[in-house]
Amino acid sequence: MSETVRSEELQRKYAAERDKRKAARGSKEEDYVRLEKVIDPDAQDPYKAVEPREPLNDDVEVTIIGAGWAGLMSAAELRKSHRKIRILDQAGDFGGVWYWNRYPGVMCDTASVVYMPLLDETGYKPTEKYAHGPEIFAHAQRIGRHFDLYKDAYFHTRVTDLRWDEAAKRWRITTNRGDEFTSQFVSLGLGALNVPRLPSFEGMKDFKGDWFHTARWDYSVTGGNPEGAPLDKLHDKTVAIIGTGATAIQIVPELAKTAKKLLVIQRTPTAVDVRDNGPITYDWWDELTQQEGWQQIIYDNFLDLVEEYKVGNFPPEGTVDLLDDGWTNIGISFMEKIRSIEGELTPEKIKAATIEWDDEMQQRIRDRTDEEIADKKTADGLKAWYRRWCKRPGFHDEYLETFNRDNVELVDTDGQGVGRITENGVEVLGEEYPVDVIIYSTGFHYNRNASKDAFFDIVGRNGVVLRDKWKDGMLSYMGYFSRDFPNLFFQQSVQAAFLTSNVSQNYAEGSRALRAVVDHTLDAGKTTFEASQKAEEEWVHMIETEGEVADDPECTPGYYNNEGKEIGLEQKRSIGYPKGKKAFFDLVKDWRSQDELAGIEIA
Ligand code: NDP
């Protein structure tokens, strides 16, 4: 293969699009506000009424904060050791993001058999290759029932303070429901991309029509329901949806079916590849699912094909792709490209092949817009001019063709975003677009630092506040523990596996680690576990010195590169285990199977 580099023309185009977007107003994290700051967090559940209950004033063994996948999987695992648990969540049921995100068309674009946890233990077979939201939410409820978790769950309960009591060797927990109880152990599963964010546009408060964020869909405005009933209140409405990320590409086809007029307001296009959804027809299903713990095989296969190549770990040639989907195809096509290099594998040849592979893939997806969309200007406007891993890949079968409808218009802001909101609508590049409804599909805070995700203070031994301790980034041991915060477990992936394409595998491994540390402590008749100072320092040092920050400043800004911000200490600490995800999982597995948990002081 010849040593190619990206053509200068393409390089210039990528740089120009990035620079436009970098100069856009409202493109920094500080330009967003958390939805909870705008809407009272205690009065915002449109799906379920808050049931009155007596405050809790007792003592429990393990409290799990957050009832999404992290909380559910932690609870299910701890059940196996018959621990006395309590689960708290501000939502009205299990499910986390799947409780809140009930927008029309909601689905998961990671394969169901990878994304939906505990399929093996609950015996559930998803109906679709990529399940829709209601089925995923129902699965969260199924896990709740299967492991008998409802009796220990307190919903519509928001923690307001979490404080270590050294004398009692307990965490003191207070909530918005008047609860004041103690808990020996606490596991935090607060999610990573679940705090809705709104841009702080000038004039937002002046808008006279209806508006909402996609994560709090208001069916009283649109009509319809999450199960797919038509949005029948939109027939005479002009609707603007702001944003074209993974959420919007699922919503746009649904809005287009009924809205009188739909304006899709775009700052940066998503590269939208084929989804090819349908019923599950895996030929391995009947045989493989006979094996106990079969889902781990699927997890590992996905990991091998989607993530491991990024750290140079190619699975053996001929490894069967059990999923055959968009994510695995990205990895497979990359590995094929590298394997096609003739002669010695030099870094130069690898770099050239990588560029060629990336350019071919992105061009194929850009060509897709021409194939799907009749109007050339619209097709051009939807083309993504950046590298494959600059922004989260999108997959959808109807999004692009929706732009062929007469009632749908792409409002391309040329990288600048919305100028301001007026009484009557949205202003873009100086032009006002009058609308009846504005839907903010503007995403979520992507926090790589659990101290910032929490709305409450976490106060450890000697009054150490987690937010202060982590002000320059996370200081942890294995991502799970932090010194001065005894008996506290972080169910999250930073400084751990950092597996973003399949969050469930992080929590599967994390749950086993949580159970191991709780079991070790209690089975030894002890009271506390805590990371040693030395273990934490060495872990953070290893992260800082051996890890590579993927926040590529050459990319167009987005949450994959921390909105293009300069790389500081916090970013250097906000990465995964340097040797890769599989190596991390192996390390944890080995760690928890030892008689003594290395790096942990049990007292
Ligand atoms: P994103 O952050 O991906 O998208 C937000 C969108 O809002 C972007 O298009 C952004 O533009 C746009 N935007 C933000 N501010 C402005 C502004 N001032 N003016 C104009 N446009 C603006 O959020 P999503 O909710 O779409 O997705 C978030 C994540 O949630 C996904 O990446 C994914 O991880 C997860 N998700 C997963 C799904 C799945 O199927 N597995 C489905 C949906 C979401 P710009 O790109 O220029 O910043």
Side-chain angles (χ1 to χ4, degrees):
M1 182 190 301
S2 65
E3 288 191 15
T4 51
V5 289
R6 177 160 292 124
S7 76
E8 273 184 33
E9 193 191 343
L10 188 57
Q11 208 151 328
R12 264 201 305 275
K13 176 81 177 158
Y14 280 9
E17 293 294 318
R18 176 204 58 210
D19 292 345
K20 262 197 291 191
R21 169 67 175 76
K22 269 191 158 170
R25 278 177 51 208
S27 59
K28 300 190 206 72
E29 199 57 30
E30 305 83 85
D31 296 320
Y32 294 95
V33 282
R34 295 163 73 124
L35 189 64
E36 282 91 333
K37 298 243 158 122
V38 182
I39 301 174
D40 176 0
D42 293 334
Q44 62 169 332
D45 186 350
Y47 309 118
K48 197 171 168 191
V50 177
E51 284 173 21
R53 67 166 172 81
E54 291 300 313
L56 304 161
N57 300 103
D58 51 354
D59 180 61
V60 290
E61 216 159 47
V62 191
T63 298
I64 294 167
I65 303 178
W69 280 169
L72 279 163
M73 294 167 86
S74 304
E77 191 65 25
L78 289 170
R79 271 282 187 266
K80 294 175 188 162
S81 296
H82 309 288
R83 297 297 167 209
K84 293 188 193 80
I85 60 172
R86 172 165 293 162
I87 308 163
L88 308 176
D89 200 295
Q90 53 187 336
D93 205 332
F94 289 114
V97 291
W98 300 100
Y99 180 84
W100 293 112
N101 283 270
R102 305 204 197 183
Y103 57 80
V106 58
M107 66 186 292
C108 182
D109 64 12
T110 298
S112 313
V113 290
V114 169
Y115 184 78
M116 292 167 72
L118 299 165
L119 292 177
D120 41 5
E121 297 193 39
T122 55
Y124 182 67
K125 180 177 183 180
T127 62
E128 290 181 292
K129 195 168 175 186
Y130 304 94
H132 279 75
E135 181 170 352
I136 303 175
F137 176 39
H139 185 59
Q141 295 172 310
R142 176 178 302 108
I143 295 170
R145 288 192 304 274
H146 185 87
F147 293 94
D148 198 17
L149 303 177
Y150 276 96
K151 69 179 167 56
D152 296 317
Y154 293 83
F155 297 115
H156 288 137
T157 299
R158 191 164 48 82
V159 172
T160 50
D161 196 62
L162 180 61
R163 205 165 280 268
W164 177 249
D165 182 336
E166 181 66 23
K169 302 272 190 250
R170 292 282 189 278
W171 285 96
R172 292 198 171 278
I173 300 170
T174 56
T175 77
N176 65 332
R177 304 296 296 271
D179 307 315
E180 283 186 26
F181 65 93
T182 53
S183 180
Q184 185 169 0
F185 305 100
V186 171
S187 176
L188 284 179
L190 302 177
L193 261 171
N194 58 326
V195 180
R197 63 175 198 182
L198 283 174
S200 35
F201 295 134
E202 181 192 330
M204 273 172 81
K205 288 201 180 103
D206 302 332
F207 180 60
K208 286 189 184 143
D210 294 302
W211 69 268
F212 53 85
H213 187 279
T214 53
R216 302 289 183 276
W217 194 271
D218 191 342
Y219 282 99
S220 74
V221 171
T222 61
N225 61 35
E227 283 71 40
L231 307 173
D232 56 5
K233 290 188 178 173
L234 296 180
H235 289 298
D236 56 353
K237 300 250 169 44
T238 298
V239 180
I241 182 164
I242 301 176
T244 49
T247 299
I249 65 174
Q250 297 178 350
I251 295 173
V252 163
E254 301 304 317
L255 286 173
K257 286 177 190 163
T258 51
K260 183 176 84 176
K261 174 93 188 163
L262 175 62
L263 305 174
V264 182
I265 302 184
Q266 171 182 274
R267 189 164 66 182
T268 314
T270 289
V272 185
D273 208 345
V274 176
R275 176 64 311 165
D276 204 12
N277 198 9
I280 285 195
T281 54
Y282 299 122
D283 54 14
W284 48 260
W285 181 270
D286 288 342
E287 204 182 317
L288 192 83
T289 56
Q290 298 301 313
Q291 290 184 43
E292 202 181 320
W294 63 265
Q295 203 171 12
Q296 187 64 43
I297 297 170
I298 307 295
Y299 281 170
D300 291 340
N301 183 253
F302 187 80
L303 195 63
D304 275 345
L305 298 173
V306 179
E307 299 287 346
E308 283 303 289
Y309 73 85
K310 295 177 191 166
V311 285
N313 297 336
F314 284 22
E317 215 163 332
T319 298
V320 177
D321 175 7
L322 294 173
L323 296 160
D324 184 24
D325 86 332
W327 293 99
T328 57
N329 289 341
I330 296 175
I332 287 169
S333 69
F334 177 76
M335 289 186 272
E336 278 170 359
K337 189 75 173 179
I338 299 297
R339 284 182 172 130
S340 73
I341 295 174
E342 285 172 13
E344 196 193 340
L345 271 188
T346 62
E348 293 74 27
K349 283 191 197 169
I350 292 175
K351 188 174 171 205
T354 305
I355 290 172
E356 204 173 282
W357 165 81
D358 198 304
D359 290 354
E360 283 168 2
M361 175 162 292
Q362 291 301 77
Q363 190 55 45
R364 179 181 59 72
I365 298 171
R366 285 191 288 271
D367 289 345
R368 215 182 148 227
T369 67
D370 291 323
E371 288 152 21
E372 299 274 336
I373 301 165
D375 179 63
K376 182 158 176 16
K377 186 164 174 254
T378 306
D380 284 347
L382 287 161
K383 288 179 181 161
W385 295 101
Y386 45 80
R387 296 199 313 268
R388 187 64 186 143
W389 287 113
C390 281
K391 278 177 99 70
R392 187 188 189 280
F395 304 95
H396 208 275
D397 295 331
E398 291 93 35
Y399 175 70
L400 294 176
E401 69 181 36
T402 300
F403 288 90
N404 290 324
R405 298 179 66 121
D406 292 339
N407 64 333
V408 178
E409 183 183 340
L410 174 68
V411 179
D412 186 359
T413 68
D414 196 24
Q416 298 309 296
V418 167
R420 67 186 179 110
I421 304 294
T422 67
E423 272 186 19
N424 300 315
V426 182
E427 191 180 286
V428 171
L429 302 174
E431 186 180 342
E432 186 186 61
Y433 292 80
V435 298
D436 302 299
V437 182
I438 299 176
I439 300 170
Y440 290 92
S441 187
T442 46
F444 302 85
H445 280 280
Y446 183 43
N447 262 332
R448 304 179 192 178
N449 179 332
S451 70
K452 293 185 183 168
D453 268 338
F455 245 85
F456 46 93
D457 271 336
I458 303 169
V459 184
R461 187 184 293 115
N462 301 323
V464 177
V465 179
L466 189 68
R467 247 183 257 278
D468 296 338
K469 180 176 173 186
W470 288 6
K471 69 178 182 345
D472 295 323
M474 262 181 78
L475 299 172
S476 86
Y477 175 49
M478 299 168 81
Y480 296 149
F481 309 98
S482 194
R483 181 78 183 167
D484 285 325
F485 294 83
N487 290 8
L488 183 61
F489 188 89
F490 296 90
Q491 259 287 25
Q492 61 89 54
S493 68
V494 181
Q495 297 190 358
F498 207 57
L499 174 53
T500 48
S501 51
N502 177 20
V503 292
S504 308
Q505 190 170 1
N506 292 304
Y507 301 142
E509 297 295 345
S511 301
R512 291 174 199 139
L514 167 66
R515 181 179 166 206
V517 74
V518 169
D519 283 359
H520 266 75
T521 309
L522 294 179
D523 293 350
K526 305 283 187 182
T527 319
T528 57
F529 66 74
E530 186 176 1
S532 75
Q533 186 69 32
K534 183 165 174 282
E536 181 168 304
E537 281 170 9
E538 286 175 359
W539 190 264
V540 175
H541 179 74
M542 178 264 300
I543 295 282
E544 281 174 24
T545 53
E546 293 175 32
E548 243 180 84
V549 184
D551 295 352
D552 187 343
E554 281 193 14
C555 280
T556 191
Y559 77 84
Y560 266 24
N561 71 343
N562 204 27
E563 302 295 334
K565 270 196 233 160
E566 286 203 7
I567 295 165
L569 191 55
E570 174 150 21
Q571 284 70 44
K572 281 197 186 143
R573 290 176 174 165
S574 298
I575 59 172
Y577 183 63
K579 295 189 183 74
K581 296 150 203 327
K582 201 170 184 172
F584 177 78
F585 293 142
D586 286 347
L587 180 141
V588 176
K589 199 170 168 188
D590 183 53
W591 170 84
R592 68 177 156 79
S593 58
Q594 304 295 324
D595 290 340
E596 284 191 18
L597 298 177
I600 299 294
E601 295 169 357
I602 292 184

